[in-house]
Amino acid sequence: MAIATIDPASGLLVKEFEALSPAELDHKLERAAQAFATYRLTTLDERAALLRAAAAVLDREVESVAALMTLEMGKTYTAAKGEVAKCATVLRYYAEHGPSYLADVTGPDTSVGARRSYVTYQPLGPVLAVMPWNYPLWQAMRFAAPALMAGNVGLLKHASNVPQTALYMEQLFASAGFPADVFQTLLIGSATVETVLRDPRVAAATLTGSGPAGQSVAAIAGDVLKPTVLELGGNDPFVVMPSADLERAAAVAVTARCQNNGQSCIAAKRFIVHEAVADQFEQLFAAKLAALTVGDPMRAGTDVGPLATESGREEVEQIVADAVEHGARVLVGGTRPDGPGWFYPPTLITGITREMRLYREEVFGPVASLYRVPDAAAAISLANDSEFGLGSNIWTEDQDEQVRFVRDVQAGMVFINGMSTSYPELPFGGIKSSGFGRELSDLGMHAFMNAKTVWVGA
Ligand code: NAP
């Protein structure tokens, strides 16, 4: 895959980049190792100040960075500005809370025969981050903010279709005043990830992306015994029970499915509705989906821009065609518009059966699957009949039902009467084929730290 910016709204090539040569890559890894040797000794106050400075740079540059993301992967400019602001928030969050997450933890004394014992958290070294294009700044930042606060050094291998956003990340940390080479972008293809991961100067890796990419990185990391965090795909359920506020649930369902042009790992993808309210919910949901404006992502008022890649749109079309061939009914959308760019309309499909790809595969586009179930048990069983277990959304006012769904739904995250999203304060991640490990919160920071036990004798 070429490392290039191709505008998804027009399909036109904007700028192409050369991948790093083996010698250039080696030089960058060496510089990362050298940067770590001194950066690990900086104080928490120094690092917190640098994170705050990076947040201030983002505040100043929000418009140009947002326009760059829109150009490279087609998210609406409005959403892109929100993403930049969220990145500034996560930087400030770790600047504020990092020191307490990184403080030594006092252990027992006499019971372990010590004068005192404690756990001290130390950074591991250069961490490789393999990142996807869908939230090009946020995905990379939610790795970078805790990692840099912890004293690690970042090496970003971003998706090949967002090279300019990737280069911006490096420039951002440099202009915030971080020491040279503490955060570097590696313009490399996915085939070179193995070289980086096997390099002894690289201590750990995190990957956000598809299952096959995660399997490959996990296998190599297993071979060389390096810690990894994997944030992979999702096929999140959005369950609507009779006691739910249907109007609100339908409005949130639209956002939950169509945000980021339908290309979010935690987008609600399977709408599982109790049959007592299914007709009403279907009507509300269909009308709201049909009312969305699809078009130029830079224009104010556009709800859904183009899909990020031509192959991504073809994949969505193939999954929808397969469902229709096997008897599913398209209630809204389902056909690409004429004209340039990789647009695909908000789509609602019902009558889905187990043999369809749509039943089991993640659709990375604004396609909602609608299912009807007779009761909570059937809703839980359908929600769990998936290889994925990332987020989940449950709509019910019934307290007992809430407890039951939280207990029984197989997912890393459960949102009751709201939609899945990420907050710096809360752990983010999944189970099953959605990956392992957690990002954000204190857990995200501790993922790449050595919790060193210290025992001091009399
Ligand atoms: P992808 O093809 O897996 O790409 C993600 C990153 O992995 C890119 O940098 C890509 O590089 C690299 N990559 C691809 N194959 C690789 C391999 N075999 N070895 C090493 N690196 C490899 O994923 P995508 O299609 O861009 O993104 C969509 C997927 O990401 C969806 O499944 C979505 O659910 C998931 N996602 C998950 C989360 C989460 O937090 N759980 C968040 C966002 C997205 P190239 O671009 O050079 O191929």
Side-chain angles (χ1 to χ4, degrees), residues 258-402:
C258 296
Q259 62 169 335
N260 212 37
N261 309 341
Q263 304 159 120
S264 170
C265 53
I266 49 163
K269 291 168 187 137
R270 298 178 295 144
F271 296 82
I272 300 171
V273 187
H274 191 286
E275 61 193 11
V277 292
D279 286 344
Q280 208 185 333
F281 180 82
E282 179 183 304
Q283 223 172 31
L284 289 166
F285 192 24
K288 288 178 196 300
L289 283 172
L292 294 176
T293 304
V294 181
D296 178 359
M298 282 304 288
R299 202 175 51 212
T302 294
D303 299 304
V304 181
L307 299 192
T309 62
E310 189 169 23
S311 60
R313 180 170 72 169
E314 277 164 12
E315 178 82 0
V316 170
E317 287 181 317
Q318 282 163 15
I319 295 175
V320 171
D322 171 79
V324 171
E325 241 167 62
H326 288 88
R329 281 183 302 123
V330 177
L331 303 179
V332 177
T335 317
R336 70 155 81 168
D338 292 333
W342 303 317
F343 293 91
Y344 195 84
T347 295
L348 181 59
I349 302 189
T350 190
I352 298 148
T353 52
R354 285 193 103 242
E355 73 270 18
M356 298 175 189
R357 290 180 63 191
L358 186 55
Y359 183 88
R360 56 183 185 279
E361 291 184 32
E362 174 184 31
V363 186
F364 228 50
V367 176
S369 304
L370 189 67
Y371 298 87
R372 289 165 184 247
V373 288
D375 52 30
I380 290 165
S381 160
L382 182 53
N384 290 344
D385 190 15
S386 167
E387 67 168 298
F388 298 108
L390 191 55
S392 57
N393 310 253
I394 312 296
W395 288 76
T396 174
E397 297 297 330
D398 181 321
Q399 301 272 322
D400 292 338
E401 261 174 17
Q402 291 181 1

Side-chain angles (χ1 to χ4, degrees), residues 1-3 129-135 139 142 157-162 188-194 207-217 220 230-235 263-266 269 362 364 388 390 413 428-430 434-435 439:
M1 190 173 173
I3 301 177
V130 183
M131 290 290 136
W133 46 263
N134 62 339
Y135 291 94
Q139 299 287 0
R142 77 181 185 191
K157 181 273 179 272
H158 219 322
S160 291
N161 57 330
V162 291
I188 53 173
S190 57
T192 311
V193 166
E194 177 162 7
L207 178 137
T208 300
S210 61
Q215 283 170 312
S216 168
V217 162
I220 299 161
L230 296 182
E231 299 286 4
L232 308 177
N235 204 1
Q263 304 159 120
S264 170
C265 53
I266 49 163
K269 291 168 187 137
E362 174 184 31
F364 228 50
F388 298 108
L390 191 55
M413 301 168 281
F428 185 98
S434 292
E439 291 191 287

